[in-house]
Amino acid sequence: DAGITQSPRHKVTETGTPVTLRCHQTENHRYMYWYRQDPGHGLRLIHYSYGVKDTDKGEVSDGYSVSRSKTEDFLLTLESATSSQTSVYFCAIRVAGNLYNEQFFGPGTRLTVL
Amino acid sequence: SQELEQSPQSLIVQEGKNLTINCTSSKTLYGLYWYKQKYGEGLIFLMMLQKGGEEKSHEKITAKLDEKKQQSSLHITASQPSHAGIYLCGAQNQAGTALIFGKGTTLSVSS
């Protein structure tokens, strides 16, 4: 258990509304990630962070923004949700400094945009 | 950009049978990660392979890395219903900043 929680776990919203998903970790890992998982596409990187206020774009960043004001929290915001953003969103942390640099994942947030 | 292709996309095996899942990279592999996902849940890290020819085992699951073929295989011996789920392979992107993933292989085990 890498101490990763995501909130909310489920959300239904309407097109055009803003949505913020939260990822919280308890172990002070530097790297945090947001992925989305869709049938036929697998897991795709949205944004990642390599420290407080240090973020960068991933493969599918359009329509998303992120913020990291504290080490433990990484927020993903959909400024104006669209139906194409209906997906399952996973947060991950990277255990840097050991041999494998493996990523550990949170339980996911299922978002439905109507 | 690098892509990971998994095969098969899905398979159904009878309990007790062996099976193999393959993951092939379009570019040089610098470490290959295997994850398992139960439906509706997050990904569970299984193992990571770093060097060509490396082989690791976790319970009845064995993974191998063939660096020359840019390929990894995941072999399950004597499958059980608890092995059912989605298996995903991942590899570090070129910048080394994140993982990219294959689309996954869905495994069903019938009893």
Side-chain angles (χ1 to χ4, degrees):
Chain A
D1 184 1
I4 307 168
T5 57
Q6 293 185 232
S7 59
R9 293 292 315 279
H10 301 271
K11 186 170 182 67
V12 180
T13 191
E14 293 188 349
T15 298
T17 60
V19 176
T20 295
L21 308 182
R22 179 182 183 236
C23 176
H24 178 80
Q25 57 141 333
T26 59
E27 298 182 357
N28 291 322
H29 295 291
R30 182 180 169 197
Y31 283 83
M32 298 184 76
Y33 305 84
W34 277 109
Y35 290 87
R36 60 179 288 176
Q37 186 177 34
D38 304 287
H41 291 280
L43 273 166
R44 292 178 292 174
L45 181 67
I46 304 172
H47 280 278
Y48 69 97
S49 170
Y50 47 96
V52 172
K53 297 185 180 178
D54 291 323
T55 64
D56 207 347
K57 296 179 180 180
E59 177 188 358
V60 290
S61 59
D62 287 348
Y64 302 94
S65 62
V66 290
S67 65
R68 192 163 177 207
S69 57
K70 298 185 291 185
T71 300
E72 58 265 37
D73 289 325
F74 191 31
L75 304 180
L76 177 71
T77 298
L78 291 67
E79 300 291 347
S80 178
T82 66
S83 58
S84 64
Q85 293 175 312
T86 292
S87 186
V88 181
Y89 291 85
F90 287 100
C91 173
I93 57 94
R94 186 174 95 180
V95 181
N98 65 8
L99 185 61
Y100 301 120
N101 287 331
E102 63 262 37
Q103 291 185 6
F104 291 93
F105 287 79
T109 294
R110 186 172 294 274
L111 175 67
T112 302
V113 183
L114 301 175
Chain B
S1 60
Q2 185 176 14
E3 291 184 355
L4 296 177
E5 184 172 336
Q6 288 187 236
S7 62
Q9 280 188 322
S10 64
L11 72 162
I12 302 172
V13 298
Q14 200 170 17
E15 184 175 356
K17 297 294 185 182
N18 302 335
L19 64 108
T20 299
I21 298 169
N22 292 306
C23 175
T24 303
S25 173
S26 60
K27 295 189 178 181
T28 303
L29 282 168
Y30 298 102
L32 192 289
Y33 301 75
W34 283 101
Y35 288 84
K36 179 187 175 186
Q37 183 181 27
K38 291 274 193 184
Y39 180 75
E41 298 180 14
L43 281 70
I44 299 169
F45 173 74
L46 293 176
M47 59 191 86
M48 184 260 189
L49 304 165
Q50 208 166 24
K51 299 176 184 177
E54 189 173 10
E55 180 175 321
K56 287 187 178 178
S57 294
H58 174 70
E59 297 177 344
K60 292 186 178 179
I61 302 175
T62 300
K64 299 180 185 179
L65 179 63
D66 186 329
E67 214 167 45
K68 290 182 181 177
K69 291 184 180 178
Q70 297 176 175
Q71 184 179 72
S72 178
S73 60
L74 186 83
H75 184 77
I76 298 178
T77 303
S79 58
Q80 301 169 356
S82 61
H83 288 127
I86 302 171
Y87 289 83
L88 296 104
C89 63
Q92 289 206 12
N93 61 8
Q94 283 188 302
T97 51
L99 294 183
I100 60 167
F101 289 89
K103 294 180 181 179
T105 295
T106 301
L107 171 64
S108 301
V109 180
S110 61
S111 53

